[in-house]
Amino acid sequence: MGTGRRGLLTAAMTVVCAVTVTALAAPGTAFANVAAPTPTTSASPSPAAPTRPADKELEQVREKLDTLYHDAAVATDAYNAAEEKAEKQSAQIVELAKKIVEGQQKLDRLKDQAGAAARAQYRSGGLPPTAQFLLSDDPGQVLDGAGSVLNGQRATRNLISEMTRTQKDLRQYAADASAQWRKLEAGRKAKAAAKKKIRQQIAAAEKLESRLEKKQRERLAKLEAQAALKAQTAWLDTGILKDIKSKASTPGRKAVEFATAQLGKPYVWGAEGPKSYDCSGLTSQAWAKAGHPIPRTSQEQWKQLKHVGIKDMRPGDLIIYFDDASHVAMYVGDGAIIHAPRPGRTVTVAGAGSMPILGVVRPDA
């Protein structure tokens, strides 16, 4: 990652963590060195005071909010998956409808041919070609007549076979279309259920936060930042950062550039840009712009994309979080990620180890 981008990411991370009492180090080690929180001064030194009851209560609120927003993220993935399936099923139904129309037109043409043959037979006195040949008085027509009979019989058999195949195809197209309609309806119900759950979880979280006073909300924000910082510090203390040395691929750089340009845009569940994103909406769009379309949801990204070791990850790779693969972020180097966190937040820079890592996937493997 270039010096300019590193400076931008470091500056953005500084803004994100401004609510904490921790200062970030220089760009090259943006997430490697963290200063201890400055203790509150008092008239006389005393042992560290236990956590205030208010903080304990706020910590419970923070944990509850984490649970609510996590459940909303899981429901968002279900909604996005249903949406993606609906788009594919709709496209399949359109294609089947085209095949049904084309098949019906073909069947109509075959029926016209059969009708023409029947009319020709009527005009010849109703005698089939074989009888006309046998009753002919002209011996010179014997060989020609024999060929005509065989050709006529062959043409009739081919016509009947073609009509039978076309009718069979039409029945299959109709059955497939009906099956896709049933799947589409089931997907619609699944999407509606997911949407309802998302709204319920977010409404519950917003109601919980609305009960807090301004100072409590500010303190809650500090507790959230401190929890993320604690997790990031523990991750860095493993020494992992010194092992991560891979450089971004050309598509990876493009994906990182796109994600960086989205900083500050709001999180909206189900959104894929350009004005707002959810977590997988951001990563899928970034890689689409880089010329490598990937699955829409974080769970499918985890299932379908190539897995790589954390020590082998490079800028542009995607880090999947939580055991249920309910969150995804883009690694951008120096131990940092860009992601769309949750409702009420914006696309931002954070520490790669600030959440439980499930694994890393590479879209352009």
Side-chain angles (χ1 to χ4, degrees):
M1 183 166 60
T3 304
R5 189 178 302 127
R6 185 182 295 117
L8 172 62
L9 295 175
T10 303
M13 187 60 190
T14 302
V15 173
V16 172
C17 293
V19 292
T20 70
V21 289
T22 303
L24 295 178
T29 55
F31 291 86
N33 299 320
V34 290
T38 304
T40 304
T41 58
S42 59
S44 59
S46 61
T51 305
R52 295 172 300 187
D55 276 7
K56 288 184 178 179
E57 293 172 1
L58 285 174
E59 184 63 24
Q60 292 175 351
V61 171
R62 185 187 70 79
E63 291 175 358
K64 180 62 175 176
L65 288 172
D66 284 348
T67 299
L68 289 170
Y69 283 124
H70 174 267
D71 290 347
V74 174
T76 298
D77 234 27
Y79 175 88
N80 290 336
E83 180 75 13
E84 189 173 38
K85 286 181 181 178
E87 291 177 358
K88 291 179 180 178
Q89 288 159 358
S90 296
Q92 289 171 345
I93 289 171
V94 169
E95 288 302 312
L96 286 168
K98 290 180 181 178
K99 289 182 178 180
I100 289 173
V101 170
E102 292 170 355
Q104 188 60 56
Q105 291 173 342
K106 181 178 180 181
L107 186 60
D108 290 342
R109 289 195 300 270
L110 292 172
K111 287 181 178 179
D112 286 343
Q113 292 177 23
R119 289 191 295 273
Q121 182 174 326
Y122 176 78
R123 286 194 297 271
S124 64
L127 292 176
T130 304
Q132 293 180 40
F133 164 63
L134 293 174
L135 296 174
S136 174
D137 293 329
D138 186 355
Q141 293 181 346
V142 171
L143 294 178
D144 291 340
S148 298
V149 169
L150 292 174
N151 288 337
Q153 291 175 337
R154 189 179 298 113
T156 300
R157 286 196 300 269
N158 290 342
L159 180 60
I160 293 173
S161 296
E162 188 69 11
M163 289 178 66
T164 302
R165 283 195 301 271
T166 302
Q167 289 172 330
K168 183 179 178 180
D169 289 343
L170 281 171
R171 286 193 295 269
Q172 186 61 53
Y173 295 153
D176 291 345
S178 296
Q180 291 302 329
W181 274 116
R182 289 192 294 272
K183 290 180 181 179
L184 192 63
E185 178 63 14
R188 185 193 66 78
K189 293 179 180 178
K191 190 168 68 170
K195 181 185 290 187
K196 182 179 180 180
K197 184 172 183 179
I198 294 166
R199 288 176 171 170
Q200 288 175 338
Q201 300 302 103
I202 293 176
E206 290 174 344
K207 183 177 181 180
L208 185 59
E209 288 185 288
S210 69
R211 294 174 180 171
L212 301 176
E213 297 176 356
K214 181 180 179 181
K215 288 184 178 180
Q216 289 177 313
R217 288 196 295 271
E218 291 172 350
R219 181 61 186 161
L220 179 62
K222 288 183 179 181
L223 290 175
E224 289 177 350
Q226 287 172 355
L229 183 61
K230 181 180 179 181
Q232 173 71 359
T233 301
W235 184 67
L236 291 172
D237 284 347
T238 64
I240 188 66
L241 198 57
K242 70 178 184 296
D243 296 326
I244 302 175
K245 300 176 182 178
S246 299
K247 295 182 179 179
S249 63
T250 298
R253 284 196 298 271
K254 292 180 180 178
V256 170
E257 288 170 359
F258 178 88
T260 302
Q262 312 314 309
L263 288 170
K265 294 184 178 181
Y267 177 105
V268 174
W269 60 266
E272 300 178 78
K275 295 182 179 180
S276 58
Y277 297 89
D278 62 20
C279 67
S280 57
L282 176 64
T283 55
S284 60
Q285 286 300 303
W287 273 100
K289 295 296 183 182
H292 286 265
I294 62 174
R296 169 65 176 88
T297 69
S298 59
Q299 293 177 347
E300 288 304 311
Q301 289 170 7
W302 174 244
K303 288 178 183 178
Q304 297 185 34
L305 301 180
K306 179 178 175 59
H307 291 203
V308 297
I310 293 178
K311 64 182 179 61
D312 298 318
M313 70 180 175
R314 63 195 187 193
D317 286 347
L318 306 181
I319 303 180
I320 309 296
Y321 292 96
F322 304 107
D323 290 341
D324 53 8
S326 58
H327 190 69
V328 60
M330 180 176 293
Y331 183 67
V332 293
D334 292 338
I337 57 171
I338 289 178
H339 71 143
R342 65 168 177 82
R345 298 290 187 264
T346 60
V347 176
T348 190
V349 180
S354 59
M355 296 170 285
I357 296 176
L358 177 60
V360 180
V361 294
R362 178 163 296 162
D364 62 335

